[in-house]
């Protein structure tokens, strides 16, 4: 099954974007080739840009507290696994304390003159070539493990926010149970009557070769399925298709 997700507010969208960047960063960090590590460094600068443009740290701290309070309310519900709940609450408390105790995100990158010069050159197409940056080319010739350790040290200041976002999204995704539905002629609509959700998740059979286009507000959820033609342009699906939908919300 393939899972597609749709954020219902900008805060969740920011967390999903951050998760995507961190996943890409760790994937290329594991590589051995200098080109893999160049993408890892480029992604690290993207993470820094994201943190500079919005108060990611503040949003994460607010959501950790909000989700912690919401989960504490589950103590009163019968059948709740108290040990798992306590473990999750402890993890949230620890993540919040680590993030609160940290200084400005990415400060070590901005204070490093060499990395600051790289960041500027990376924004120029081809600007990190050996012609423009001989010092960077020399760094790329170092052993892979040496490069990897350097990149890990540069990324260390982002570890608390990365772990906190991962925890928040895990709790949010687990807050919605997938329910079977059928989209008639590729369209599904559900009236909400004022309810709001934070995240929609759609599961599809991998062999279906279709994808959902989702939208939602407090009145209605729309899921429209499409497939790609020979030039990859989306074409509306005109047949019925089965799928699973989870509506995720931390109350």
């Amino acid at each position: 099954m393939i899972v597609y997700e749709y954020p219902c507010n900008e805060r969740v969208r920011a967390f999903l974007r951050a998760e995507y960047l961190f996943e890409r960063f760790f994937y290329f960090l594991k590589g051995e080739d200098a080109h893999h590590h160049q993408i890892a460094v480029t992604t690290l600068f993207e993470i820094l840009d994201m943190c500079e443009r919005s108060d990611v740290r503040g949003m994460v701290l607010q959501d950790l507290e909000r989700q912690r309070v919401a989960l504490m309310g589950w103590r009163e519900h019968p059948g709740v696994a108290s040990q798992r709940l306590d473990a999750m609450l402890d993890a949230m408390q620890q993540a919040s304390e680590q993030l609160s105790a940290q200084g400005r995100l990415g400060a070590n990158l901005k204070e490093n003159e060499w990395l600051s010069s790289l960041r500027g050159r990376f924004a120029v197409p081809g600007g990190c070539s050996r012609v423009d940056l001989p010092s960077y080319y020399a760094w790329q010739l170092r052993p892979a493990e040496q490069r990897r350790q350097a990149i890990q040290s540069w990324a260390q200041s982002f570890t608390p926010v990365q772990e906190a976002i991962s925890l928040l999204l895990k709790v949010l995704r687990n807050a919605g149970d997938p329910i079977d539905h059928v989209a008639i002629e590729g369209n599904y609509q559900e009236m909400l009557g004022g309810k709001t959700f934070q995240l929609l998740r759609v599961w599809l059979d991998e062999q279906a070769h279709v994808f959902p286009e989702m939208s939602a507000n407090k009145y209605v959820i729309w899921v429209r399925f499409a497939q790609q033609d020979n030039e990859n342009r989306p074409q509306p699906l005109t047949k019925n298709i089965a799928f699973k939908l989870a509506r995720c919300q931390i109350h």
Side-chain angles (χ1 to χ4, degrees):
M1 299 290 281
I2 300 176
V3 183
Y4 289 88
E5 296 183 320
Y6 176 79
C8 299
N9 60 55
E10 288 305 309
R11 178 168 297 194
V12 175
R13 184 182 300 276
F15 293 165
L16 291 173
R17 285 176 174 171
E19 179 188 56
Y20 162 74
L21 288 175
F22 281 116
E23 286 178 350
R24 191 174 75 185
F25 170 76
F26 288 119
Y27 176 85
F28 285 104
L29 181 63
K30 294 176 183 177
E32 298 292 322
D33 192 87
H35 294 296
H36 293 154
H37 290 166
Q38 178 167 324
I39 297 175
V41 175
T42 302
T43 305
L44 193 58
F45 289 147
E46 287 187 48
I47 294 170
L48 178 59
D49 287 340
M50 177 189 65
C51 292
E52 287 182 337
R53 291 173 185 172
S54 58
D55 183 19
V56 173
R57 176 181 168 182
M59 289 192 297
V60 170
L61 285 171
Q62 288 175 3
D63 257 37
L64 281 170
E65 179 59 21
R66 187 175 63 83
Q67 288 196 12
R68 190 182 68 83
V69 171
L71 288 176
M72 287 179 65
W74 281 92
R75 290 182 184 275
E76 310 300 324
H77 290 255
V80 172
S82 57
Q83 289 185 339
R84 290 182 60 186
L85 179 60
D86 288 341
M88 183 61 69
L89 289 171
D90 288 344
M92 285 187 166
Q93 183 64 31
Q94 183 177 358
S96 181
E97 290 175 356
Q98 289 178 346
L99 195 55
S100 298
Q102 187 189 29
R104 190 175 54 178
L105 293 176
N108 59 323
L109 296 180
K110 300 180 71 173
E111 293 168 1
N112 186 310
E113 291 185 11
W114 186 69
L115 289 177
S116 293
S117 68
L118 284 187
R119 185 184 180 191
R121 296 305 304 175
F122 274 30
V124 179
C128 55
S129 70
R130 69 186 71 178
V131 175
D132 293 290
L133 287 175
S135 66
Y136 177 62
Y137 179 60
W139 179 82
Q140 287 182 305
L141 295 177
R142 294 180 181 181
E145 186 56 33
Q146 209 177 108
R147 294 195 306 267
R148 188 177 297 109
Q149 289 178 1
I151 298 171
Q152 286 175 329
S153 69
W154 301 335
Q156 193 171 5
S157 66
F158 294 108
T159 299
V161 73
Q162 181 266 325
E163 292 178 345
I165 288 174
S166 178
L167 182 61
L168 287 171
L169 290 177
K170 178 181 178 180
V171 173
L172 180 58
R173 285 168 174 144
N174 289 336
D177 295 324
I179 299 174
D180 290 314
H181 294 284
V182 175
I184 306 301
E185 296 184 348
N187 286 277
Y188 173 80
Q189 182 174 316
E190 179 179 338
M191 305 307 295
L192 298 179
K195 290 183 181 179
T196 58
F197 296 96
Q198 294 169 281
L199 179 69
L200 302 181
R201 309 186 76 206
V202 165
W203 285 261
L204 282 168
D205 185 343
E206 188 174 356
Q207 302 304 317
H209 302 296
V210 300
F211 60 92
E213 296 176 328
M214 294 178 268
S215 59
N217 54 42
K218 63 182 180 179
Y219 302 109
V220 64
I221 291 173
W222 289 284
V223 184
R224 310 170 190 85
F225 291 92
Q227 55 191 350
Q228 293 173 302
D229 63 16
N230 292 333
E231 296 182 357
N232 295 321
R233 293 174 299 191
Q235 300 295 329
L237 192 68
T238 56
K239 63 180 181 180
N240 296 356
I241 185 167
F243 69 101
K244 294 179 184 291
L245 171 67
R247 305 169 302 173
C248 305
Q249 172 76 6
I250 302 296
H251 298 286

